[in-house]
């Protein structure tokens, strides 16, 4: 089925449409790493059915933290936020799949963990906005921008998820 459906360029194939190749940048923040939540978080995205396109552990330098959060630089909590993100290693991930940007935000839950729904990562695993465990891009454009910031081209792995026919029609 795969061979006859997905040609070299795959332009006719729903499973390889632009929408199913949407990507988002997800990051376990230093508190999530220190609290041993990396496996649990990766598991939730894997079980949902997204494809892991990039994964690394990384000590974020200050200038990258500032660039990543540049939209928030006028906020009073910005210096604290940069200190938090650079306070220890983070785990950087690129996840791919249909509607992955919005879906990841749902899996993650509201920014303030006390307002995040139970069942979401922040709702289940955090209590403070300044220690909310995880980041997820808030738009497709920011997903692309952030993956470009945090990953080199060679760090992103193109591989075929053999389960695709069981996940996508
Ligand atoms: P999100 O991460 O849900 O997209 P924002 O982009 O608004 O949320 O904020 C980025 C990060 O800044 C948050 O995840 C959180 O770690 C931190 N942050 C946001 N608001 C506050 C606040 N009022 N006090 C401290 N840190 C905050």
């Amino acid at each position: 089925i795969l061979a006859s459906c997905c040609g070299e360029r795959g332009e006719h194939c729903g499973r390889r449409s632009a929408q199913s190749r949407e990507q988002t940048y997800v990051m376990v923040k230093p508190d999530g790493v220190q609290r041993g939540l990396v496996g649990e978080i990766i598991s939730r995205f894997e079980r949902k059915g997204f494809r892991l396109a990039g994964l690394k552990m990384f000590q974020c330098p200050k200038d990258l933290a500032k660039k990543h959060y540049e939209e928030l630089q006028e906020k009073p909590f910005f210096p604290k936020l940069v200190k938090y993100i650079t306070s220890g290693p983070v785990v950087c991930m690129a996840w791919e799949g249909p509607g992955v940007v919005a879906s990841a935000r749902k899996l993650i839950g509201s920014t303030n963990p006390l307002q995040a729904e139970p069942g979401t990562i922040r709702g289940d695993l955090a209590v403070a906005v300044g220690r909310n465990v995880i980041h997820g891009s808030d738009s497709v454009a920011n997903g692309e921008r952030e993956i470009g910031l945090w990953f080199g081209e060679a760090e992103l792995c193109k591989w075929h998820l053999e389960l695709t026919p069981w996940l996508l029609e």
Side-chain angles (χ1 to χ4, degrees):
I1 294 168
L2 284 175
S4 62
C5 186
C6 296
E8 266 291 288
R9 292 164 60 205
E11 61 273 26
H12 63 289
C13 179
R15 288 195 294 275
R16 295 180 62 184
S17 67
Q19 208 236 351
S20 67
R21 286 195 313 263
E22 184 178 307
Q23 293 192 335
T24 194
Y25 177 66
V26 172
M27 173 169 72
V28 183
K29 294 176 176 178
D31 51 331
V33 174
Q34 290 290 347
R35 291 178 53 203
L37 300 175
V38 172
E40 157 102 30
I41 288 169
I42 291 176
S43 234
R44 291 189 183 207
F45 284 85
E46 276 188 320
R47 283 155 57 205
K48 175 74 177 167
F50 293 127
R51 186 182 76 91
L52 186 57
L55 173 69
K56 68 176 176 188
M57 194 165 194
F58 186 61
Q59 173 62 54
C60 174
K62 239 183 179 163
D63 56 341
L64 177 58
K66 286 182 182 166
K67 186 116 195 76
H68 174 80
Y69 282 122
E70 67 188 2
E71 284 172 12
L72 300 175
Q73 60 192 347
E74 303 304 327
K75 300 281 183 191
F77 58 82
F78 185 74
K80 247 179 30 182
L81 176 57
V82 171
K83 201 170 168 199
Y84 165 41
I85 295 303
T86 57
S87 64
V90 294
V91 171
C92 312
M93 290 172 269
W95 286 98
E96 181 179 286
V100 69
V101 170
S103 179
R105 296 279 293 184
K106 281 193 182 158
L107 291 173
I108 289 169
S110 302
T111 305
N112 182 342
L114 293 181
Q115 276 149 28
E117 292 293 327
T120 64
I121 292 166
R122 287 169 174 165
D124 289 349
L125 303 173
V127 290
V129 71
R131 297 288 184 272
N132 61 359
V133 169
I134 182 169
H135 165 83
S137 310
D138 63 3
S139 66
V140 173
N142 267 338
E144 280 173 24
R145 182 185 82 92
E146 291 168 5
I147 289 171
L149 269 181
W150 290 86
F151 286 102
E153 191 59 43
E155 293 177 307
L156 297 169
C157 192
K158 292 192 177 71
W159 59 285
H160 180 69
L161 183 62
E162 299 293 344
L163 276 179
T164 302
W166 302 105
L167 292 164
L168 302 182
E169 288 182 85

